[in-house]
Amino acid sequence: MKKISLLAPMLFLGLLSCSENKPTIQNINTMTAADTLSMVEVLDPEAEKLVSKDSKAEILGEGFVWSEGPCWIKDQQKLIFSDAPQNTIFSWTAKDSIQVYLKPSGYTSAVPRGGEVGSNGLIINKNGKLVLCQHGDRRIAEMQAALDQPKPEFKTLADKFDGKRFSSPNDVFADSKGNYYFTDPPYGLEKQEKDSTKETKVEGVYRILPDGKVELLVDSLTRPNGIIVSNDGTKLYLANSDPAKAIWAVYDLDKDGKLSNGRIFMDATKNAATEKGLPDGLCMNSKGYIFATGPGGVWIFNPAGKHIATIKTKVATSNVELDDTESYLYITAHMYLIRMKLVK
């Protein structure tokens, strides 16, 4: 693995373009050959422990502006996911298909503004509450209502560091100790890094401690995006959504939450030049395999860090989530919600 320069230059990324027209949301109850968005490219036979080379993803819904932040609610057997441009969280269940779950999801002010104002990354914390990355309100927030009775009532967990407002928190991960790790690129600001309201000088990676204190962990990535902590709590993985430096980075994480030995986990910059999408959301299964959205679709890495397969999609792919039994991989991909059946 290559060492990451902690003095990496700032390289700015234009937001992935998406339609400004209001979409017509469609529920997809059957899959036909024409509906298929994916194929599996197997690079190592080990991958077939997870996904069949003949598998095709099902389209569960389409017509979103930019689907993001899938989050599985075990007790309800429900997936929720963000559409940031629509300021809405949608839900999907096998029974009810696509429904509006929460609106507004990321911007609660009555003052009109541009940019991608809705929620992005979503997680369920150890107290069973929904935690949201809110672009428009520029904060990490906790929904105060119950998961089965969602309401746009939020408590701020963090919205500033050193007195300066975050730009637009993008993705978040909660560890077993009650810490929240999150990324803060400028995608939700109307003019992104050139926006007059941007207060921070860096595109930061932060941690919220259980007592509410906020720490800056990484300030050298150009577009930090997806974030997870390994199952054993010893590594922090980050996606950098910059076409000029399209990488996944990994850091060693000690018991006190301090990072060291930052290095490139995988460099996909060459792939980003020819395939749709950039390193974005990621998740890890119970055996340590990583599913990471990137150029061309979803990259699958084994626990040793080897790239063993790619779920190739025809559109830019933003994020992934597993259900509680790890039977399905749910994928948000541009205007679609899709899922892939996994090998059990």
Side-chain angles (χ1 to χ4, degrees), residues 9 20 23 66-67 83 94 111 119 126 128 132-133 136 143 158 169 171 178-179 197 205 233 246 248 304 326:
E20 294 181 358
W66 182 250
S67 59
D83 190 332
V111 179
S119 60
K126 65 179 183 179
L132 313 87
C133 293
M143 185 177 74
D171 203 2
N179 299 296
T197 68
V205 179
W248 290 278
E326 300 183 354

Side-chain angles (χ1 to χ4, degrees), residues 19-20 31 47 82 90 103 111 139 174 187-188 207 217 220 233 293:
S19 170
E20 294 181 358
M31 182 181 68
S82 300
F90 291 94
K103 185 178 180 69
V111 179
R139 63 181 175 175
Y187 296 141
R207 179 173 67 152
L217 300 179
S220 59
T293 58

Side-chain angles (χ1 to χ4, degrees), residues 4 28 33 42 69 74 104 106-107 109 114 169 186 211-212 216 231-232 236 252 266 281 287 295:
I4 291 178
I28 309 297
V42 174
K74 178 181 177 180
Y107 186 55
S109 172
D211 64 3
L216 175 62
N231 296 334
D232 63 5
L236 178 76
D252 293 334
M266 179 64 68
K287 295 181 179 179

Side-chain angles (χ1 to χ4, degrees), residues 136-272:
D137 286 347
R138 300 170 68 167
R139 63 181 175 175
I140 301 293
E142 180 186 84
M143 185 177 74
Q144 296 303 282
L147 292 174
D148 60 352
Q149 296 181 336
K151 297 177 183 178
E153 301 169 352
F154 305 109
K155 172 186 175 182
T156 299
L157 299 180
D159 60 359
K160 296 182 180 70
F161 176 72
D162 273 355
K164 300 183 186 302
R165 293 185 71 193
F166 299 130
S167 296
S168 54
N170 189 278
D171 203 2
V172 60
F173 184 93
D175 69 13
S176 60
K177 300 176 182 178
N179 299 296
Y180 295 101
Y181 297 83
F182 70 96
T183 56
D184 186 42
Y187 296 141
L189 297 178
E190 189 168 5
K191 296 181 180 179
Q192 295 193 42
E193 74 280 356
K194 297 180 181 179
D195 199 280
S196 62
T197 68
K198 181 173 170 56
E199 298 183 16
T200 59
K201 293 182 179 180
V202 301
E203 317 309 330
V205 179
Y206 299 89
R207 179 173 67 152
I208 308 172
L209 300 173
D211 64 3
K213 180 183 177 182
V214 179
E215 297 178 335
L216 175 62
L217 300 179
V218 180
D219 62 3
S220 59
L221 294 178
T222 51
R223 282 295 183 272
N225 198 317
I227 184 169
I228 58 170
V229 174
S230 61
N231 296 334
D232 63 5
T234 64
K235 289 183 173 57
L236 178 76
Y237 294 89
L238 290 166
N240 193 56
S241 298
D242 183 338
K245 197 170 186 179
I247 63 168
W248 290 278
V250 60
Y251 298 78
D252 293 334
L253 183 63
D254 71 17
K255 59 182 178 62
D256 297 318
K258 303 301 181 183
L259 300 184
S260 62
N261 193 27
R263 56 212 184 267
I264 291 176
F265 177 74
M266 179 64 68
D267 191 332
T269 306
K270 290 183 179 179
N271 304 77

